[in-house]
Amino acid sequence: MGKVVEKLVYERPKSLTDAHTHYCPGCTHGVSHRLVAEALDELGIRERTIGIAPVGCSVLAYYYFNVDFAEAAHGRAPAMATGMKRANPDRVIFTYQGDGDLAAIGTGEIVHAAGRGENITVIFINNAIYGMTGGQMAPTTLEGQKTTSSPMGRDISIAGHPLKMSELLSTLDGAAYVVRHSLHDVKHIRRARKAILTAFKVQLAGLGFSMVELLSTCCTNWKMDPVESLDWLRDNMVPFYPLGEHKVIDAVKDL
Amino acid sequence: MARGRIEIDEQYCKGCRLCVSVCPQEILAISSRLNERGYMPAEIIDMERCTGCSMCAVICPDVCITVYRQVPLRQT
Ligand SMILES: Cc1ncc(C[n+]2csc(CCOP(=O)(O)OP(=O)(O)O)c2C)c(N)n1
């Protein structure tokens, strides 16, 4: 056997600080943070990126990303991002939002930001529940899913149907890149990583609104261990929320 | 000789077991000691069999794993 050397194949991205996160063990917010940080590292845009944290479990994201950050009022991150991007077009602006933030109190902001084709990137964490406040029903909660505010399971006749945000936003002309991925296993995490990279490239090329929806877990409020949570996500959320590219304009394909 | 090697930064680990569940070599386990934050961290029980595949690092929500792989000299 010839001479071998040891090569570093994976290390903590530079776009994360060395802070310990407050997330529960197994929470996929940590995975999403890492994927965003890896994309910023890979594109070499850490020094000119500004993130916007939501209200929700990821409210403290500004402690964890080693980039400039602002904190928006609940659901208003796309409005804040709009102002920031228009005032500083040379900056890369992304929002990081949960489903309670983006699909409930902030539905108006996200729809209009996408409709206007704002040149921002949205990382949308869909864990089908309000995590931070104790596991209440979200617009994305599945039919029959038990939460603290739907203890018998979500009843469609009372609470209506879950919102499919990627499909909804993909109908808007301003949206350039809207995709949904899942974090339930290594293969899918790798695909999500690529999509996040593409979303930032869309912004760098000035093509308009980009969003990556990431199907995620909430072990604590789903009352499952981390491994069971990933299985539940795969078996219940993935069939209801189809993965894939919901809107990709032609210019993105040429990137 | 091992084809890979990982380092687990125990102080970041929350013992969630996701790395244990995906390791194709089944060489990760949750230890019985506590880290500074009161979690039982993951540890590698047989480094000799590590292939450096990085699956543990890809699934880790707490970014505590660094991965190295042995490669022929000419590939570097
Ligand atoms: C104006 C306003 N209304 C309501 C709340 C209460 N609140 C805090 S977080 C949250 C929802 C969080 O859920 P989600 O966006 O899904 O994020 P997660 O915690 O699951 O990551 C709500 C309703 C608030 N902080 N401010």
Side-chain angles (χ1 to χ4, degrees):
Chain A
M1 198 169 138
K3 222 172 147 45
V4 291
V5 286
E6 190 171 76
K7 191 176 136 200
L8 176 68
V9 288
Y10 188 83
E11 68 175 334
R12 193 178 175 85
K14 305 272 180 297
S15 297
L16 289 180
T17 64
D18 50 16
H20 294 260
T21 71
H22 70 288
Y23 299 119
C24 306
C27 173
T28 48
H29 268 307
V31 176
S32 310
H33 283 23
R34 179 163 51 79
L35 298 182
V36 172
E38 285 175 18
L40 300 180
D41 277 16
E42 190 169 329
L43 296 168
I45 52 176
R46 185 174 70 80
E47 292 290 342
R48 61 185 180 109
T49 296
I50 307 174
I52 303 176
V55 171
C57 283
S58 48
V59 67
L60 300 176
Y62 43 78
Y63 285 143
Y64 307 143
F65 284 101
N66 191 13
V67 303
D68 285 328
F69 242 85
E71 168 62 47
H74 206 1
R76 313 305 184 227
M80 199 171 198
T82 298
M84 281 186 174
K85 186 70 186 183
R86 288 186 179 203
N88 307 282
D90 55 325
R91 297 292 167 138
V92 177
I93 311 283
F94 77 94
T95 72
Y96 184 100
Q97 304 177 257
D99 45 354
D101 190 83
L102 180 143
I105 195 168
T107 320
E109 280 73 12
I110 194 69
V111 168
H112 285 278
R116 292 190 305 267
E118 297 295 341
N119 192 26
I120 58 171
T121 299
V122 174
I123 308 297
F124 169 38
I125 309 300
N126 180 357
N127 59 8
I129 210 159
Y130 287 6
M132 185 200 208
T133 44
Q136 293 83 2
M137 181 168 59
T140 45
T141 296
L142 299 180
E143 178 173 8
Q145 187 182 340
K146 288 186 179 153
T147 68
T148 48
S149 55
S150 61
M152 315 303 279
R154 180 178 184 146
D155 180 348
I156 298 296
S157 71
I158 298 170
H161 295 273
L163 295 187
K164 294 180 172 170
M165 292 308 291
S166 287
E167 284 83 342
L168 196 151
L169 296 176
S170 69
T171 63
L172 302 173
D173 292 337
Y177 184 70
V178 178
V179 297
R180 183 186 288 121
H181 286 272
S182 171
L183 303 177
H184 68 268
D185 65 19
V186 171
K187 186 173 91 183
H188 286 87
I189 293 173
R190 289 200 163 119
R191 287 186 190 159
R193 181 185 191 281
K194 263 182 130 170
I196 293 172
L197 204 63
T198 306
F200 281 111
K201 285 184 186 165
V202 168
Q203 183 177 163
L204 289 168
L207 298 180
F209 180 87
S210 55
M211 181 175 94
V212 181
E213 174 175 347
L214 298 170
L215 299 184
S216 300
T217 62
C218 180
C219 317
T220 299
N221 289 301
W222 291 2
K223 308 195 194 308
M224 292 174 208
D225 75 33
V227 177
E228 277 170 3
S229 298
L230 293 185
D231 292 346
W232 192 89
L233 160 52
R234 180 197 59 213
D235 297 340
N236 296 277
M237 288 181 72
V238 174
F240 184 79
Y241 291 112
L243 305 183
E245 300 183 324
H246 291 280
K247 172 93 180 265
V248 183
I249 61 169
D250 287 342
V252 174
K253 294 173 188 144
D254 303 334
L255 282 180
Chain B
M1 203 182 78
R3 284 179 287 155
R5 180 169 74 83
I6 63 165
E7 282 166 8
I8 301 178
D9 191 335
E10 289 201 351
Q11 291 317 314
Y12 284 107
C13 182
K14 296 175 185 153
C16 75
R17 302 189 76 92
L18 291 182
C19 58
V20 177
S21 77
V22 298
C23 177
Q25 298 291 86
E26 299 181 13
I27 52 177
L28 290 168
I30 297 297
S31 69
S32 48
R33 37 172 212 290
L34 294 176
N35 68 14
E36 255 172 40
R37 285 168 189 260
Y39 293 114
M40 292 196 281
E43 63 181 2
I44 186 152
I45 47 181
D46 187 0
M47 192 76 88
E48 278 302 300
R49 289 174 49 221
C50 178
T51 63
C53 73
S54 326
M55 286 175 79
C56 52
V58 171
I59 203 130
C60 176
D62 293 291
V63 206
C64 24
I65 305 178
T66 309
V67 185
Y68 303 88
R69 202 177 294 154
Q70 306 295 330
V71 293
L73 190 54
R74 61 192 149 71
Q75 268 189 25
T76 49

